Amino acid sequence: MNINLLLVDNRQLVLECLKHRLNKEPNICVIGTLSNFEYLQHEIITNSPDIVLMNFRMELSNKINLTKLLKNIPNLRIVILSKYEYPEYIQATYIAGASAFISEEKSFQELIFTIKQVYLGDKIFPKIEENQIDRILTLKESEILKRIAEDKTNFEISEEMMISIRTVEYHISSIIRKLDAESRVGAVVTAIKRGLLSIK
């Protein structure tokens, strides 16, 4: 068994440390590192890794890109390494088709175990408690939140998404509740802090 890994992280120092540690492990070989998510598909096609170990904030755009990536490249296994173990992150990576989600708080040996089990075909995800499931933003809620961050009114959101204003208001109330915010602005601020939303 020889596991070829591609490492993806926007922090160069983290990439170097992971590469150094992982290459010391028997049967594991880091065949490449990447700090820019935009070139990921090209890098995968070029190097044909068995597993991509990826660390990035789970923004809506990344959820979509991850899903497209997995659909376009068969037999690819992706392990998400994240600083945050939020239920919505775990849920999003699972739905997108990743093979595992592991917190940066875990030990290096737990990371090695996860990589090896994923190579063997297992899926490894932290358990989401039942009382946390209703706190996960839906895709539509994420789309509405993005438009709120763009300072669009309920009417403008309604027009763009072709849904009623009442439906928009319902989703906004749900977003505010799930993010423990007190207002639309508070929901945006919380979402940015948790990596659910980026402002460009």
Side-chain angles (χ1 to χ4, degrees), residues 148-192:
I148 292 172
E150 293 169 352
D151 203 28
K152 293 185 177 176
T153 65
N154 289 5
F155 177 77
E156 289 171 329
I157 295 172
S158 170
E159 290 286 301
E160 285 187 11
M161 299 184 67
M162 293 183 289
I163 56 179
S164 70
I165 291 181
R166 180 166 292 187
T167 300
V168 172
E169 291 171 347
Y170 169 80
H171 283 303
I172 291 174
S173 296
S174 177
I175 292 166
I176 291 172
R177 174 179 58 82
K178 289 180 179 181
L179 296 179
D180 289 327
E182 296 182 357
S183 64
R184 289 163 51 112
V185 174
V188 169
V189 171
T190 299
I192 292 172

Side-chain angles (χ1 to χ4, degrees), residues 91-110:
Q91 181 88 345
T93 53
Y94 181 83
I95 292 173
S99 295
F101 183 106
I102 182 168
S103 168
E104 289 183 3
E105 301 299 320
K106 301 296 183 182
S107 69
F108 187 73
Q109 288 309 311
E110 286 176 286

